[in-house]
Every structure is written in C-alpha cells, then in structure tokens.
Amino acid sequence: MTATIPGRFITIEGVEGVGKSTNLGFVAATLQAAGHNVRLTREPGGTPLGERVRQLLLHGDARVDPLAELLLMFAARAAHLREVIEPALAAGDWVVCDRFTDATYAYQGGGRGLPETAIATLEALVQGSRRPDLTLLLDAPPEVTDPRLRARAPADRFEQEEAAFFARVRATYLARAARESGRVRLIRTDRPLPEVQADIAQALAPLVGRT
Ligand code: Z5A
C-alpha cells in the first residue's frame, strides 16, 4: 500500500479590492489542471462555527472589542484547522484558503494595533507548526482599490474603517512579505487580469511541479 502524500496549503491575502475572489478560481483551476484535488475555503469561515463568527464580525451591529475580535478569529481558526484544513491535507488534497493568519497580523495587529507578540502566542497555540506552504499577497494602492470597492455595496464592518486603518493593514502585509519572502509572493494587481494571472501561475509553478 502506498502512503498518501500530504497536500499543500496555499493562502490568498490582501486588502479589500485587490481581487482575491476574482483570482481564487484561477488558483483552483491551475492546481486542478496539474492533477490535484482542491479544497477551497475561507477565513473567517469554513466551518459552521467559523461562518457564524464571520456573520457576527462582518455583519453584526454589536460593537466588538479588538481583543475579543482577535480571540474570535483564532477560535474560528482552531475549528477550521481541526475540522477542515488538517484532514484535507492529510488526505492529500490541496487547500486554498481565502485569508488566514497573515490577515490577523494585518487587521488585528496593524489595523487595530494589538501587539504582534499576542498574535504570535495564539498562532503557536492554535496552529502548532502549521504555516501555509505558499501565500499569494495580492496588492494594489488605494487609488486602484477604492474605485473597485465603491462599485460594490454594501460595506461590511471592516470596509467601513477609515483610510488610515487600511494604510496600516497594507503596510503590515507588505512588511510580512518582505520578511518572509520565501513563503509570501507579492502579486501586483493594479494591472490587467491576464498579467496578474500570469504572475500567479508563475508563483504556483515551483509548488505544483514538486510533489
Ligand atoms: N479578517 C480579519 O480582520 N482578520 C482575520 O484574521 C481574517 C479576516 C481571516 C473578510 O472579508 C474580512 O475579515 C476582511 C478582513 C477580516 N475584511 N474586510 N473587508 P473578505 O476577505 O471576505 O472580504 P474582502 O476583502 O472584501 O474580499 P473579496 O470579496 O475577495 O474582495 P476582493 O479581494 O476585493 O476581490 P474581488 O471582489 O475579486 O475584486 C474587487 C473588484 O475588483 C471586483 O469588481 C473585480 O472585478 C475587480 N478586479 C479584480 N481584479 C481586477 C483587475 N486586475 N483589474 C480590474 N478590476 C479588477
């Protein structure tokens, strides 16, 4: 009997308006074309608990304390890892997740100002050594993302934040990409979609070729 080769864990990140949803299907199709079973999922979300946390944090009208928000993100992540991500990877599926812990560093750390050390402590507790094999950080400046966002409504709780909040979120993402350049691939999305997707395909190529 041959042992199952564990799947790979790919995350997609970026501020709103960069085109994550637009490119998620392209990532999945590229991996499927290479012969992999793909499990698409998202955070917060991916489990019944995670989807309820998502509803509460994105669309609830109650004020949520930043520390409570951080803990809810990791509570949802704990369920997501144990119920969905780890079993899928163990079965040999490739997991593509729309946002993961880089978003926590960017939004709760950079955006809300919570200490990076607190996030790192929760990351170690909830994830152990699990980290994405590859993170695609989609990035574009606000001059490009703002008009894209205005074209869609209504805004969720995060999208209602001020410009300075998103500037901090973006700066945190970019700093993480610079610090972890082996894992995080920066993809500029202020260009026509075919050019963006050519870069995404190039970023996936080394991983797809290696089993
Ligand atoms: N959050 C958090 O705070 N902490 C955490 O730990 C986690 C999450 C995990 C989840 O929202 C929220 O949760 C998020 C952070 C917080 N905050 N917000 N908001 P989400 O990820 O579900 O929502 P989103 O950021 O709005 O993602 P999205 O729906 O995938 O949007 P998008 O990245 O902006 O993608 P899009 O809808 O594909 O693109 C936007 C528009 O641009 C659309 O009209 C496209 O047709 C257009 N587009 C895309 N690419 C192009 C190019 N290349 N040219 C021209 N037009 C384009």
Side-chain angles (χ1 to χ4, degrees):
M1 201 175 78
T2 52
T4 304
I5 300 167
R8 298 299 180 116
F9 182 31
I10 298 172
T11 59
I12 305 187
E13 298 276 1
V15 296
E16 26 291 298
V18 290
K20 287 185 297 89
S21 295
T22 304
N23 290 296
L24 212 59
F26 176 77
V27 171
T30 304
L31 299 178
Q32 279 158 352
H36 301 294
N37 282 334
V38 176
R39 176 77 195 240
L40 273 180
T41 187
R42 67 176 181 181
E43 289 208 352
T47 66
L49 174 75
E51 291 299 328
R52 292 190 67 175
V53 168
R54 181 182 187 87
Q55 182 63 26
L56 184 74
L57 291 181
L58 270 66
H59 307 294
D61 46 18
R63 188 189 167 275
V64 183
D65 173 78
L67 181 59
E69 183 179 272
L70 172 69
L71 293 170
L72 284 167
M73 289 294 179
F74 271 108
R77 186 162 298 138
H80 196 201
L81 277 162
R82 278 151 195 76
E83 293 171 26
V84 176
I85 297 174
E86 294 296 353
L89 293 173
D93 292 348
W94 285 42
V95 176
V96 179
C97 191
D98 185 349
R99 297 192 187 277
F100 193 63
T101 306
D102 288 300
T104 313
Y105 282 101
Y107 285 81
Q108 281 65 52
R112 305 266 190 243
L114 291 172
E116 191 178 335
T117 48
I119 300 172
T121 300
L122 290 167
E123 181 181 34
L125 176 71
V126 170
Q127 295 171 221
S129 61
R130 173 64 68 194
R131 299 291 180 276
D133 295 297
L134 173 70
T135 295
L136 300 170
L137 173 59
L138 309 190
D139 182 67
E143 310 85 81
V144 170
T145 52
D146 286 354
R148 289 183 188 172
L149 288 175
R150 276 197 294 274
R152 71 172 194 201
D156 65 34
R157 243 184 88 246
F158 288 93
E159 289 167 352
Q160 290 165 24
E161 289 292 339
E162 60 194 21
F165 175 90
F166 292 109
R168 294 195 298 275
V169 169
R170 182 171 178 232
T172 307
Y173 267 135
L174 292 174
R176 290 182 68 72
R179 205 192 308 165
E180 293 192 49
S181 57
R183 171 179 68 86
V184 184
R185 284 291 301 267
L186 184 62
I187 309 281
R188 278 187 37 218
T189 62
D190 52 349
R191 297 172 300 148
L193 204 51
E195 288 181 30
V196 172
Q197 294 186 338
D199 275 9
I200 292 176
Q202 200 178 42
L204 292 173
L207 208 62
V208 167
R210 215 178 334 129
T211 52

